[in-house]
Amino acid sequence: MIVVKFGGTSVADAAAIARAAAITRSRAPRRPVVVVSALARATNELLAAAEQAAQGQLIVALRGIEGLRERHLVEADALLGNGGDADDVRAELSAMCDELASLSEALSVLGHLTPRSLDAIAAYGELLSAALVQAAFRRYDLPADLVDARDVMVTDELHTRAVPDLDAITENARRVLLPMLSQGRLPVVGGFIGRSPGGVTTTIGRGGGDFSAALLGAALGAEAIEIWTDVDGMLTADPRVVERARLIEVIRFDEAAELATFGAKVLHPSTIAPAVQRGIPVFIFNSRRPEGRGTRITADAPRRAVSAIAGKGNVTVIKVNSSRMLLAPGFLRTLFEVFERHHTSVDVVATSEVSVSVTVDDPSRLDALLVDLRALGDVSIERQRAVVAVVGAGLGGDSTTMARALGALHGLRVHMISLSATEINLTIIIDGDRLGDAMRALHAEFFDRPPEAA
Ligand code: ADP
Ligand code: ASP
Ligand code: MG
């Protein structure tokens, strides 16, 4: 079997869902499980409505929800027409929007938003899209069955970025999905959402639909995981930033993981791990151009000096100075335990004799984290930094790459540099407002001119 995942733009409207149906049909002999994201932008709108409701702007929040209702019903009309179970599907979609409106009213009374209630609201994006896509696939004569993702995807209780439990998911996926597949049915599951052992709805982090797809692929021992999105595959850089970015036809798991972690949103970073564990190749394809070759992510692709450039903004740099303690055994462990305690993951690390600098992506728990860090030394914070990453599994073996990378960035202020121990990723921290310039300069250096001209 295979897992076929459609991202938000690939189910954005009736035309996109029709394309998804055609793609799924072309995969039918390989027994697909279909994972869908919320319609493009729906998750953002749901999260905005939740914030507005909790801040007392109930009317604005309800307007947002009515917009979502309207949009799902319009697409349902276009896809389902009249007759059959079209009315039931419309009623079902509308009932979910009623629930959203009630939740928003409750939030506005409470005047307070918790991660748990954010998840309760965000989950509706995928609940709505899965219901719509399943009904539409039936109209296209696909034997689609709707599966409530929460009956399969068990997670912990860390709301908004809950950690999936692969063993429990494997058990559920085999119990719920395998019988469907063996009867020739086509399960349609919403990505991104799950349920805690206590029965509460959770989400596994923004962009988590890819992760859901990989977990289901690992759970069922899939032959392949296909991620269908709005670009031709994994490119040498984000095409929104670097116009000349080009397709990478085959890339290694480890390179793809680094790229995803450092800003290549085309793949959720956690996606790779379950696929690697089971040796399942991951493909990325463009749902608007299904005939394209796409990208294949596997363990055995050749090592290139530089495979791609990634970058992300809004990075916070935390520097801890501690002349007394840095060299003391166990200091770094104590330091990183603080990050662990506050569920904040560290991306890039650089140390000097008396200081440790780290970058974090998610500053939401920074205040509490800083209190604990200050017990270890003087702490300074630099916000609005960006990180650019030059990624290639053969990077360490090519002595010119680092010189070329830094040469390409001349004129830009460099705040931190780190080369990963496996020498696959050179990360450079720069001013946030220069991210685009840095990515274009690095891309031009490594992809637009032949090495001999460098
Ligand atoms: P989906 O909704 O299908 O999950 P995403 O928006 O999450 O799609 O991811 C696709 C986007 O990822 C592309 O539109 C592109 O702008 C961005 N992206 C960033 N880096 C890369 C890269 N190296 N290759 C391809 N796309 C990239
Ligand atoms: N709908 C979710 C999000 O927008 C998950 C996903 O699209 O992968 O973050
Ligand atoms: Mg995505």
Side-chain angles (χ1 to χ4, degrees), residues 152-170:
V152 178
M153 305 298 289
V154 181
T155 72
D156 70 4
E157 287 172 343
L158 194 62
H159 285 283
T160 73
R161 44 187 165 147
V163 180
D165 175 347
L166 183 56
D167 290 337
I169 292 169
T170 302

Side-chain angles (χ1 to χ4, degrees), residues 5-9 36-44 47 122 125-126 191-193 204-212 265 268:
K5 180 259 175 178
F6 295 102
T9 43
V36 291
S37 286
L39 273 54
R41 301 180 305 282
T43 309
N44 286 349
L47 294 174
E126 270 68 8
F192 177 57
I193 64 179
I204 60 173
R206 294 304 307 272
D210 302 337
F211 192 16
S212 301
K265 188 188 167 212
H268 185 285

